[in-house]
Amino acid sequence: MPVYAAPVKDTLFILNNVLKLDTYSNLPGFAEATPDMVQAILEQAATFAEEVVQPTNQAGDEHGCTRHEDGSVTTPPGFKEAYTQFVEGGWGTLTAPPEYGGQGLPFVLGTALEEYLISANLAFAMYPGLTHGATAAIEVVGSDEQKKKYLPNMISGKWCGTMNLTEPHCGTDLGLIRTKAEPQADGTYKITGTKIFISAGEHDLAENIIHLVLAKMPDSPDNVKGISLFLVPKFLVNEDGSLGARNAVSCGSIEKKMGIHGNATCVLNYDGATGWLVGEKEKGLAAMFIMMNAARLGVGLQGLAISEAAYQNAVIYARERLQGRALTGPVNKEGKADPIIVHPDVRRMLMDIRAFNEGARAMAMWAGLLVDLVHKAPTEEDRQHADDLIGLLTPVIKGYFTDKGFENAVLAQQVFGGHGYIREHGMEQFVRDARIAQIYEGANGIQALDLVGRKLAKNGGRALQAFNKLVTQAINDGKGREELKPVAEALERSLGHLQAATMWLMQNAMANPNNAGAAAYPYMHLAGLVGLGLMWLKIGSASLDALASGNGDERYLRNKLTTARYFADRHLPDTASLRRKVEAGAETVMALAAEDF
């Protein structure tokens, strides 16, 4: 049976030493996030994730969710009890606005909590995760009445939320949706249509579910410009806040799927359900993107979190499994074989995963801090800078992290050999669960196109220029420190590849848009590697500072420097081949006729 220990020590190192959280104490919500408070929160979150949530993971996968004849859905054994403790512990309120019952702490702390929950049980973590996305949309574009009526109960976890985009005939191309919203005399709308792949669409964890649904009004254009967003509760809410009649939305079926069995992925049927317009008419896609951007960062975390959980179990197995002898001579001289962790190829797999996990955790936490700064930075210039960076990083974090998360789950399974293919050890579940993160919330090919087609050119390339400036500064600083110089020089070469690939796109994408389409995926991975290289330089610099001051665990800090070198030696060279793929263009990609496939 798999195990999990939340990486509290690593999280604290990133917050305190790399991001220097205390330097933001002048911003709203940060003053309360003292080092002692942050440590206490993370330790309690770790206990909750390890002792309450993680034990439900394997059973949740085996049992799945059950749909009953009346359309109701029961979650796996232990889920409801764990969710009750989640609500009672106030975990959903951690970073939410105080005016709606939240604690108002920095979003970056919520990033850490979310990683722990996902590693413990991805399917479970999706229920509060989707609610968080729904509350974000209502908070930004909802009316004052809607905020007052729905947000307190959603933030507390008493009610849950969903996002309803996909229909049987359309996924990413939302202009094709057919769900209709008929205006009524009382200002409400009758919502009719079918939505599929709705995560957490129906369940028994909360007393109400607030669905946010994309639909078109009869007089709206039948394309992407005609989409509006509607709030459709499972149970109607009375004026006094009590629950009223059941709304005309029901679960038609639960999807039979490869992984995340513990999450109810539903077909939802809307049969004239009562709904309310959220935001402006025909501005639904912009409103939904508030949810989707939050969700994409969360899905990127899923890649990291599954990779971390799989890594921890692979390390334990590699230390215990006896097989063969070390190439340099017996290590376990009293036994007939050595533990497989002595073998370079096993070390390669473990180090590949470790180098990603620790760099990606820093990058995810940085992204969480940027979300805070978008809203709380003291000047408009600082807020714009943070907004530019998080906009650029979101498709990279979603796409690159989830690709690597799946790849690392497979590597961790490989460490187990044949035992990794057997359900008992839980490794095959990590592989199955990790796979969805590459697909939903915009498949990774769409993320790559978003990066290349929208984010690079936005505001004259201002975001990429800001990112390049940060990387260049880190390189210059790193080259001035002997132990970091090889890492800095490797990242300098990789940044050169990224800049050359960007220039090639500028020169060739307009002439032939297929060049951009063919280049997008390797470009996204190239950007991901440079982003992790930036994080490893920052981690290395923070480690050297801590060593120089005598603060911290020397072995832990030395291991950071070793892993930074490993990343520079074994991963950054990939940027050269990715640049070549970008510059190969679309000619051979598009050469065959469709009928020749």
Side-chain angles (χ1 to χ4, degrees):
M1 183 173 179
V3 298
Y4 172 65
V8 174
K9 183 176 183 177
D10 207 48
T11 305
L12 288 171
F13 175 75
I14 293 166
L15 289 173
N16 296 330
N17 297 67
V18 180
L19 298 180
K20 298 181 173 28
L21 201 65
D22 61 338
T23 63
Y24 299 95
S25 60
N26 61 314
L27 302 182
F30 282 78
E32 293 77 15
T34 62
D36 289 345
M37 168 73 82
V38 169
Q39 182 169 345
I41 289 172
L42 293 180
E43 288 173 349
Q44 291 172 25
T47 299
F48 177 69
E50 295 164 4
E51 298 181 5
V52 179
V53 179
Q54 197 276 338
T56 67
N57 189 40
Q58 201 164 27
D61 179 63
E62 293 172 356
H63 287 273
C65 296
T66 303
R67 179 188 177 276
H68 306 286
E69 288 187 9
D70 62 358
S72 64
V73 171
T74 303
T75 50
F79 272 48
K80 191 167 185 176
E81 293 78 7
Y83 186 77
T84 298
Q85 292 189 51
F86 174 87
V87 175
E88 290 175 348
W91 292 112
T93 71
L94 191 66
T95 63
E99 57 265 37
Y100 303 114
Q103 299 178 52
L105 290 168
F107 182 84
V108 67
L109 289 185
T111 302
L113 168 64
E114 193 170 2
E115 183 200 333
Y116 298 173
L117 292 178
I118 295 166
S119 287
N121 185 339
L122 168 56
F124 175 88
M126 289 171 65
Y127 291 99
L130 285 157
T131 304
H132 174 77
T135 59
I138 296 171
E139 183 186 347
V140 174
V141 299
S143 67
D144 290 341
E145 180 185 358
Q146 288 169 345
K147 294 174 187 178
K148 182 179 178 181
K149 192 171 190 176
Y150 296 101
L151 287 183
N153 283 330
M154 294 176 73
I155 285 169
S156 73
K158 186 177 181 181
W159 298 349
C160 284
T162 70
M163 52 193 299
N164 286 232
L165 292 78
T166 308
E167 299 185 7
H169 60 285
C170 72
T172 301
D173 191 353
L174 293 171
L176 300 176
I177 67 171
R178 296 173 184 162
T179 300
K180 293 297 181 184
E182 296 279 353
Q184 305 299 300
D186 61 358
T188 64
Y189 294 81
K190 292 299 181 185
I191 311 299
T192 302
T194 297
K195 298 288 185 177
I196 64 169
F197 304 161
I198 308 306
S199 300
E202 170 63 24
H203 55 79
D204 59 348
L205 301 184
E207 65 180 33
N208 204 3
I209 303 173
I210 310 303
H211 303 291
L212 293 187
V213 185
L214 291 183
K216 295 174 182 173
M217 299 185 197
D219 61 344
S220 292
D222 190 18
N223 54 44
V224 72
K225 294 181 180 180
I227 297 173
S228 298
L229 181 66
F230 298 88
L231 187 156
V232 186
K234 173 181 173 180
F235 287 98
L236 299 176
V237 181
N238 297 320
E239 290 300 318
D240 63 359
S242 63
L243 298 185
R246 176 70 187 261
N247 209 350
V249 52
S250 61
C251 173
S253 64
I254 297 177
E255 305 287 1
K256 294 178 173 62
K257 55 191 187 292
M258 178 178 177
I260 54 168
H261 295 154
N263 196 272
T265 308
C266 299
V267 174
L268 290 184
N269 297 316
Y270 292 85
D271 300 307
T274 300
W276 286 263
L277 179 66
V278 180
E280 298 179 42
K281 178 181 179 180
E282 297 169 4
K283 301 292 184 183
L285 201 57
M288 185 60 82
F289 264 108
I290 297 168
M291 284 188 71
M292 291 175 70
N293 285 331
R296 284 169 176 174
L297 289 173
V299 173
L301 266 182
Q302 292 175 8
L304 162 62
I306 292 291
S307 179
E308 174 65 30
Y311 168 78
Q312 291 186 16
N313 286 274
V315 167
I316 293 170
Y317 186 82
R319 287 171 175 164
E320 296 177 349
R321 174 69 170 176
L322 301 179
Q323 190 81 36
R325 287 295 192 186
L327 298 176
T328 53
V331 173
N332 177 28
K333 295 180 180 179
E334 303 302 318
K336 294 183 177 180
D338 290 330
I340 62 173
I341 200 166
V342 304
H343 302 306
D345 195 57
V346 172
R347 290 291 190 100
R348 171 190 62 84
M349 291 186 283
L350 294 177
M351 285 298 292
D352 278 353
I353 306 172
R354 181 190 182 110
F356 169 79
N357 289 353
E358 295 181 11
R361 179 169 300 113
M363 192 166 171
M365 301 293 284
W366 178 41
L369 178 60
L370 288 172
V371 172
D372 282 312
L373 295 178
V374 169
H375 302 288
K376 300 176 180 179
T379 69
E380 176 59 32
E381 183 181 2
D382 290 340
R383 292 191 291 273
Q384 182 186 85
H385 178 72
D387 193 50
D388 286 345
L389 287 171
I390 195 61
L392 181 73
L393 292 174
T394 294
V396 177
I397 288 173
K398 195 283 182 187
Y400 179 67
F401 278 27
T402 58
D403 279 350
K404 295 299 293 184
F406 177 73
E407 178 184 320
N408 290 343
V410 173
L411 279 178
Q413 182 187 40
Q414 187 76 10
V415 170
F416 278 73
H419 290 282
Y421 204 68
I422 304 302
R423 179 166 293 188
E424 174 191 354
H425 294 279
M427 303 309 289
E428 56 85 35
Q429 183 190 344
F430 290 137
V431 173
R432 289 185 289 105
D433 284 355
R435 185 67 183 91
I436 186 57
Q438 297 171 285
I439 298 171
Y440 59 15
E441 301 306 337
N444 285 356
I446 298 297
Q447 302 303 318
L449 286 173
D450 178 45
L451 174 64
V452 168
R454 294 177 183 166
K455 301 301 172 60
L456 291 187
K458 187 177 180 181
N459 298 315
R462 190 174 66 204
L464 185 62
Q465 291 168 26
F467 177 74
N468 287 344
K469 185 176 180 180
L470 287 174
V471 178
T472 300
Q473 182 62 57
I475 289 169
N476 291 337
D477 293 344
K479 287 165 74 173
R481 310 184 77 162
E482 194 61 32
E483 288 193 70
L484 282 184
K485 189 175 180 181
V487 181
E489 290 175 342
L491 183 57
E492 188 172 38
R493 291 189 291 272
S494 293
L495 178 61
H497 295 314
L498 179 64
Q499 291 171 331
T502 305
M503 185 62 67
W504 186 92
L505 281 169
M506 291 173 61
Q507 295 169 345
N508 293 275
M510 292 294 290
N512 180 2
N514 281 337
N515 281 331
Y521 213 91
Y523 186 92
M524 178 180 71
H525 275 246
L526 205 171
L529 280 166
V530 172
L532 257 63
L534 171 63
M535 292 299 103
W536 272 115
L537 268 186
K538 289 185 173 294
I539 291 168
S541 181
S543 299
L544 287 176
D545 290 345
L547 285 167
S549 66
N551 294 325
D553 180 342
E554 182 176 356
R555 184 170 182 174
Y556 170 86
L557 296 169
R558 286 289 171 195
N559 287 343
K560 287 290 186 190
L561 293 168
T562 299
T563 309
R565 280 291 304 271
Y566 181 90
F567 182 83
D569 291 345
R570 307 280 299 201
H571 288 263
L572 285 180
D574 292 345
T575 58
S577 63
L578 290 166
R579 171 188 170 183
R580 296 291 178 259
K581 289 181 181 181
V582 168
E583 295 174 347
E587 182 181 356
T588 54
V589 173
M590 304 302 293
L592 297 183
E595 56 269 23
D596 290 330
F597 280 86

